[in-house]
Amino acid sequence: MSEERESRDRSGSAADRVYAYAKEAVLARRFAPHALLTEGELAAAVGVSRTPVREALLRLQADGLVRLLPKRGALVLPVTAAEVTDVFETRRLIEAFAVRKAVAGAGPELVVALSGHIEDMRAAMQRRNAHAYVEADRDFHAEIVASTGNEIIVSLYRSLRERQLRMGVVNLLGDQAGTVNPSRMRAMIADHEAILKAVAARTVRAAESAVTAHLDHAERLLGRA
């Protein structure tokens, strides 16, 4: 391997580490909305030079998580009302179609997979781990979308991932900063169990109604966050 290639590989690996560190911190809200992230602080936290930090911040900006400020760093973007509306409108369109198709054509393996994701949500609730809980929540819905077999729809849904994760964490927050609200976790699990019950019973109308009710519930919670 040439020295130039080796240098690029090291830089790429370092940028990946900064990106993963900063993204997880933003999604978990350890970096609060409107916080200013400086290149120097991120470089010190991860143990890298500033060059890979710049690359990582560009990727975070492309994800819609930060906005670069010349010679200052990056501003953590809040979840806006317009973004919430856009995301939930898109989710309703995709997930209503997906659950109808899932009920019509999916086999028992989908029910097993969905049950597993709910169990993961329960385990994360016991640990008060908001990030793991939201990952399991998102995986539940992604499982239904994937069951359509429509790669364009799956790709579109996947593009919402980072926004879904961040909004999901906001939905679980309690009144005290940095804490989660267990009652919200339990309520969301109940919503998912209603969806699972309708899918298992192969009742199209009930499944679509359960998905819509769940998304309405989640959007209302975000409106109060």
Side-chain angles (χ1 to χ4, degrees):
M1 181 183 295
S2 68
E3 290 184 7
E4 182 181 356
R5 167 74 178 280
E6 187 174 355
S7 176
R8 286 200 304 268
D9 288 347
R10 285 199 301 269
S11 175
S13 176
D16 290 343
R17 296 203 311 274
V18 177
Y19 173 76
Y21 166 80
K23 184 175 78 169
E24 198 278 331
V26 170
L27 294 177
R29 291 176 69 88
R30 291 199 306 277
F31 292 156
H34 305 294
L36 181 64
L37 310 180
T38 68
E39 292 180 2
E41 289 170 342
L42 289 173
V46 182
V48 299
S49 69
R50 293 194 180 200
T51 299
V53 171
R54 295 186 190 107
E55 181 182 332
L57 289 177
L58 285 170
R59 291 167 62 184
L60 290 167
Q61 180 171 251
D63 289 342
L65 299 179
V66 305
R67 183 171 74 245
L68 297 183
L69 302 177
K71 299 182 180 179
R72 294 182 61 193
L75 185 72
V76 178
L77 296 176
V79 175
T80 66
E83 183 181 10
V84 169
T85 298
D86 289 349
V87 167
F88 277 92
E89 283 181 352
T90 306
R91 288 189 64 185
R92 286 187 184 92
L93 287 171
I94 294 174
E95 295 187 42
F97 166 78
V99 81
R100 289 196 302 268
K101 192 167 182 180
V103 170
E109 64 277 1
L110 176 62
V111 173
V112 172
L114 295 179
S115 298
H117 296 312
I118 291 177
E119 288 306 312
D120 290 341
M121 291 173 69
R122 289 197 184 95
M125 180 178 67
Q126 293 299 321
R127 303 194 307 272
R128 298 292 192 270
N129 187 327
H131 190 68
Y133 181 99
V134 172
E135 286 273 11
D137 181 331
R138 186 208 166 270
D139 289 345
F140 176 97
H141 293 276
E143 193 82 49
I144 294 174
V145 174
S147 73
T148 66
N150 185 318
E151 288 303 318
I152 295 176
I153 289 177
V154 170
S155 178
L156 175 59
Y157 193 76
R158 192 180 297 123
S159 72
L160 301 175
R161 181 178 189 277
E162 309 304 343
R163 289 182 171 88
Q164 285 182 251
L165 292 176
R166 188 159 59 141
M167 290 178 187
V169 170
V170 173
N171 257 347
L172 300 179
L173 295 179
D175 295 330
Q176 296 181 343
T179 65
V180 295
N181 186 325
S183 66
R184 290 189 178 186
M185 288 181 158
R186 287 191 290 271
M188 289 294 156
I189 288 175
D191 284 357
H192 287 76
E193 288 173 334
I195 296 169
L196 173 61
K197 180 179 179 181
V199 171
R202 304 181 71 84
T203 309
V204 174
R205 183 173 297 179
E208 185 174 359
S209 177
V211 165
T212 300
H214 169 58
L215 293 176
D216 289 347
H217 183 192
E219 187 172 14
R220 285 195 303 273
L221 286 177
L222 272 169
R224 297 200 296 266

